[in-house]
Amino acid sequence: MPLHDEGDLAHLEATGAHRQRLTDEQIINLLGLLRQVAETNLAEMERLVSRLFAEDDADGVLEAVSRDELLAGLASGEVALLDVRPEEEYKAGHLPEAINIPLAQLEEMLGKLPHDKEIVAYCRGPYCALSHEAVQRLRQLGYRVRRFEEGYPEWKAAGLPVT
């Protein structure tokens, strides 16, 4: 029953009807269940990701670049950004000064990459395999390269500049 004025609210109170409050036991139980589901799924996701990317960094040399480290590298000019997402995604938005080389075209577009800077590859986020694979391929070709620990969505959500 929608409330239209104070008389309706008074009527509900007089008849014993009331609105649910966040302190009601059912709401507290629901929030507890949601927390448990989230914690369970987070643990499962972390387990799956560690298995998925275990071979990428078996010897521990491919430590990801943090946002602060990337910002410092860009400011100093010591880092070149590589966006390995498909061209359509790059055109829809990307990190400033990023070079777009979709993973499928990596070998044929190597001429776009500088040899005198560390390359930081990024894609759709921490669980995106594109940047992991790009790092592996480029390291085999002798490039100094690491991956960004986040991706375009996290960068944009943090309010950092995008193009």
Side-chain angles (χ1 to χ4, degrees), residues 20-40:
Q20 294 281 332
R21 301 193 191 284
L22 288 179
T23 57
D24 287 346
E25 187 175 341
Q26 290 176 328
I27 300 297
I28 292 171
N29 290 338
L30 176 61
L31 291 173
L33 288 172
L34 286 172
R35 187 184 71 246
Q36 288 175 358
V37 168
E39 289 170 353
T40 300

mmCIF file of all heavy atoms in Angstrom, residues 20-40:
data_model
loop_
_atom_site.group_PDB
_atom_site.id
_atom_site.type_symbol
_atom_site.label_atom_id
_atom_site.label_comp_id
_atom_site.label_asym_id
_atom_site.label_seq_id
_atom_site.Cartn_x
_atom_site.Cartn_y
_atom_site.Cartn_z
ATOM 1 N N GLN A 20 10.138 -2.220 7.356
ATOM 2 C CA GLN A 20 11.329 -2.947 7.777
ATOM 3 C C GLN A 20 12.459 -1.955 8.057
ATOM 4 O O GLN A 20 12.588 -0.958 7.392
ATOM 5 C CB GLN A 20 11.785 -3.908 6.669
ATOM 6 C CG GLN A 20 10.808 -5.031 6.394
ATOM 7 C CD GLN A 20 10.923 -6.132 7.425
ATOM 8 O OE1 GLN A 20 11.981 -6.333 7.997
ATOM 9 N NE2 GLN A 20 9.830 -6.825 7.671
ATOM 10 N N ARG A 21 13.264 -2.249 9.022
ATOM 11 C CA ARG A 21 14.419 -1.437 9.355
ATOM 12 C C ARG A 21 15.674 -2.304 9.221
ATOM 13 O O ARG A 21 15.610 -3.519 9.307
ATOM 14 C CB ARG A 21 14.311 -0.896 10.772
ATOM 15 C CG ARG A 21 13.078 -0.055 10.998
ATOM 16 C CD ARG A 21 13.200 0.710 12.315
ATOM 17 N NE ARG A 21 11.973 1.330 12.718
ATOM 18 C CZ ARG A 21 11.488 2.434 12.172
ATOM 19 N NH1 ARG A 21 12.118 3.027 11.210
ATOM 20 N NH2 ARG A 21 10.352 2.942 12.604
ATOM 21 N N LEU A 22 16.820 -1.662 9.013
ATOM 22 C CA LEU A 22 18.057 -2.404 8.847
ATOM 23 C C LEU A 22 18.426 -3.219 10.082
ATOM 24 O O LEU A 22 19.243 -4.112 10.004
ATOM 25 C CB LEU A 22 19.203 -1.459 8.485
ATOM 26 C CG LEU A 22 19.145 -0.896 7.077
ATOM 27 C CD1 LEU A 22 20.310 0.051 6.847
ATOM 28 C CD2 LEU A 22 19.174 -2.001 6.041
ATOM 29 N N THR A 23 17.822 -2.937 11.200
ATOM 30 C CA THR A 23 18.134 -3.686 12.412
ATOM 31 C C THR A 23 17.276 -4.938 12.557
ATOM 32 O O THR A 23 17.504 -5.744 13.444
ATOM 33 C CB THR A 23 17.938 -2.797 13.659
ATOM 34 O OG1 THR A 23 16.602 -2.309 13.653
ATOM 35 C CG2 THR A 23 18.939 -1.662 13.667
ATOM 36 N N ASP A 24 16.300 -5.119 11.680
ATOM 37 C CA ASP A 24 15.473 -6.315 11.760
ATOM 38 C C ASP A 24 16.343 -7.551 11.571
ATOM 39 O O ASP A 24 17.276 -7.565 10.772
ATOM 40 C CB ASP A 24 14.371 -6.301 10.708
ATOM 41 C CG ASP A 24 13.271 -5.297 11.036
ATOM 42 O OD1 ASP A 24 13.212 -4.809 12.182
ATOM 43 O OD2 ASP A 24 12.488 -5.011 10.128
ATOM 44 N N GLU A 25 16.014 -8.602 12.290
ATOM 45 C CA GLU A 25 16.815 -9.825 12.275
ATOM 46 C C GLU A 25 16.956 -10.420 10.876
ATOM 47 O O GLU A 25 18.017 -10.901 10.498
ATOM 48 C CB GLU A 25 16.199 -10.851 13.220
ATOM 49 C CG GLU A 25 17.061 -12.081 13.385
ATOM 50 C CD GLU A 25 16.484 -13.029 14.426
ATOM 51 O OE1 GLU A 25 15.663 -12.609 15.254
ATOM 52 O OE2 GLU A 25 16.864 -14.206 14.378
ATOM 53 N N GLN A 26 15.914 -10.381 10.055
ATOM 54 C CA GLN A 26 15.990 -10.935 8.707
ATOM 55 C C GLN A 26 17.024 -10.187 7.855
ATOM 56 O O GLN A 26 17.762 -10.799 7.092
ATOM 57 C CB GLN A 26 14.625 -10.880 8.027
ATOM 58 C CG GLN A 26 13.616 -11.836 8.621
ATOM 59 C CD GLN A 26 12.254 -11.666 7.974
ATOM 60 O OE1 GLN A 26 11.880 -10.579 7.567
ATOM 61 N NE2 GLN A 26 11.516 -12.773 7.884
ATOM 62 N N ILE A 27 17.059 -8.885 7.976
ATOM 63 C CA ILE A 27 18.003 -8.081 7.195
ATOM 64 C C ILE A 27 19.429 -8.386 7.648
ATOM 65 O O ILE A 27 20.331 -8.554 6.822
ATOM 66 C CB ILE A 27 17.702 -6.572 7.343
ATOM 67 C CG1 ILE A 27 16.286 -6.241 6.854
ATOM 68 C CG2 ILE A 27 18.749 -5.746 6.629
ATOM 69 C CD1 ILE A 27 16.058 -6.512 5.388
ATOM 70 N N ILE A 28 19.632 -8.491 8.947
ATOM 71 C CA ILE A 28 20.963 -8.802 9.475
ATOM 72 C C ILE A 28 21.408 -10.181 8.977
ATOM 73 O O ILE A 28 22.544 -10.370 8.562
ATOM 74 C CB ILE A 28 20.968 -8.726 11.012
ATOM 75 C CG1 ILE A 28 20.783 -7.264 11.437
ATOM 76 C CG2 ILE A 28 22.251 -9.302 11.588
ATOM 77 C CD1 ILE A 28 20.545 -7.084 12.912
ATOM 78 N N ASN A 29 20.500 -11.152 8.988
ATOM 79 C CA ASN A 29 20.827 -12.489 8.483
ATOM 80 C C ASN A 29 21.164 -12.453 6.998
ATOM 81 O O ASN A 29 22.101 -13.113 6.543
ATOM 82 C CB ASN A 29 19.674 -13.470 8.743
ATOM 83 C CG ASN A 29 19.517 -13.800 10.211
ATOM 84 O OD1 ASN A 29 20.457 -13.658 10.999
ATOM 85 N ND2 ASN A 29 18.330 -14.233 10.594
ATOM 86 N N LEU A 30 20.384 -11.693 6.230
ATOM 87 C CA LEU A 30 20.639 -11.577 4.796
ATOM 88 C C LEU A 30 22.021 -10.982 4.537
ATOM 89 O O LEU A 30 22.782 -11.486 3.707
ATOM 90 C CB LEU A 30 19.567 -10.713 4.128
ATOM 91 C CG LEU A 30 19.775 -10.426 2.637
ATOM 92 C CD1 LEU A 30 19.779 -11.718 1.835
ATOM 93 C CD2 LEU A 30 18.711 -9.469 2.135
ATOM 94 N N LEU A 31 22.357 -9.933 5.257
ATOM 95 C CA LEU A 31 23.673 -9.315 5.074
ATOM 96 C C LEU A 31 24.790 -10.287 5.440
ATOM 97 O O LEU A 31 25.820 -10.346 4.771
ATOM 98 C CB LEU A 31 23.782 -8.026 5.905
ATOM 99 C CG LEU A 31 22.899 -6.866 5.427
ATOM 100 C CD1 LEU A 31 22.971 -5.711 6.425
ATOM 101 C CD2 LEU A 31 23.286 -6.417 4.040
ATOM 102 N N GLY A 32 24.583 -11.075 6.465
ATOM 103 C CA GLY A 32 25.581 -12.075 6.843
ATOM 104 C C GLY A 32 25.756 -13.131 5.768
ATOM 105 O O GLY A 32 26.878 -13.531 5.443
ATOM 106 N N LEU A 33 24.653 -13.577 5.188
ATOM 107 C CA LEU A 33 24.730 -14.557 4.106
ATOM 108 C C LEU A 33 25.426 -13.977 2.880
ATOM 109 O O LEU A 33 26.237 -14.648 2.239
ATOM 110 C CB LEU A 33 23.328 -15.049 3.738
ATOM 111 C CG LEU A 33 22.660 -15.965 4.756
ATOM 112 C CD1 LEU A 33 21.201 -16.220 4.374
ATOM 113 C CD2 LEU A 33 23.417 -17.280 4.867
ATOM 114 N N LEU A 34 25.118 -12.746 2.529
ATOM 115 C CA LEU A 34 25.777 -12.096 1.397
ATOM 116 C C LEU A 34 27.287 -12.014 1.627
ATOM 117 O O LEU A 34 28.077 -12.251 0.707
ATOM 118 C CB LEU A 34 25.198 -10.698 1.160
ATOM 119 C CG LEU A 34 23.804 -10.659 0.541
ATOM 120 C CD1 LEU A 34 23.264 -9.229 0.541
ATOM 121 C CD2 LEU A 34 23.822 -11.221 -0.863
ATOM 122 N N ARG A 35 27.681 -11.669 2.839
ATOM 123 C CA ARG A 35 29.109 -11.588 3.161
ATOM 124 C C ARG A 35 29.772 -12.954 3.010
ATOM 125 O O ARG A 35 30.848 -13.089 2.438
ATOM 126 C CB ARG A 35 29.311 -11.043 4.574
ATOM 127 C CG ARG A 35 30.793 -10.791 4.894
ATOM 128 C CD ARG A 35 31.035 -10.346 6.331
ATOM 129 N NE ARG A 35 30.801 -11.476 7.223
ATOM 130 C CZ ARG A 35 29.820 -11.556 8.119
ATOM 131 N NH1 ARG A 35 28.973 -10.581 8.263
ATOM 132 N NH2 ARG A 35 29.675 -12.624 8.879
ATOM 133 N N GLN A 36 29.112 -14.009 3.504
ATOM 134 C CA GLN A 36 29.667 -15.363 3.400
ATOM 135 C C GLN A 36 29.816 -15.791 1.941
ATOM 136 O O GLN A 36 30.833 -16.375 1.561
ATOM 137 C CB GLN A 36 28.787 -16.358 4.151
ATOM 138 C CG GLN A 36 28.867 -16.225 5.650
ATOM 139 C CD GLN A 36 27.875 -17.153 6.347
ATOM 140 O OE1 GLN A 36 27.116 -17.865 5.707
ATOM 141 N NE2 GLN A 36 27.890 -17.129 7.670
ATOM 142 N N VAL A 37 28.818 -15.498 1.115
ATOM 143 C CA VAL A 37 28.889 -15.853 -0.305
ATOM 144 C C VAL A 37 30.037 -15.097 -0.969
ATOM 145 O O VAL A 37 30.814 -15.670 -1.738
ATOM 146 C CB VAL A 37 27.547 -15.555 -1.018
ATOM 147 C CG1 VAL A 37 27.690 -15.632 -2.530
ATOM 148 C CG2 VAL A 37 26.478 -16.527 -0.533
ATOM 149 N N ALA A 38 30.158 -13.829 -0.668
ATOM 150 C CA ALA A 38 31.236 -13.033 -1.253
ATOM 151 C C ALA A 38 32.606 -13.563 -0.843
ATOM 152 O O ALA A 38 33.508 -13.702 -1.673
ATOM 153 C CB ALA A 38 31.086 -11.564 -0.838
ATOM 154 N N GLU A 39 32.782 -13.872 0.434
ATOM 155 C CA GLU A 39 34.065 -14.394 0.910
ATOM 156 C C GLU A 39 34.381 -15.745 0.278
ATOM 157 O O GLU A 39 35.510 -16.002 -0.118
ATOM 158 C CB GLU A 39 34.049 -14.507 2.440
ATOM 159 C CG GLU A 39 34.079 -13.169 3.136
ATOM 160 C CD GLU A 39 33.831 -13.268 4.631
ATOM 161 O OE1 GLU A 39 33.501 -14.365 5.141
ATOM 162 O OE2 GLU A 39 33.951 -12.223 5.303
ATOM 163 N N THR A 40 33.390 -16.599 0.149
ATOM 164 C CA THR A 40 33.590 -17.911 -0.465
ATOM 165 C C THR A 40 33.985 -17.755 -1.929
ATOM 166 O O THR A 40 34.924 -18.383 -2.402
ATOM 167 C CB THR A 40 32.312 -18.761 -0.359
ATOM 168 O OG1 THR A 40 32.005 -18.935 1.013
ATOM 169 C CG2 THR A 40 32.489 -20.117 -1.034
#
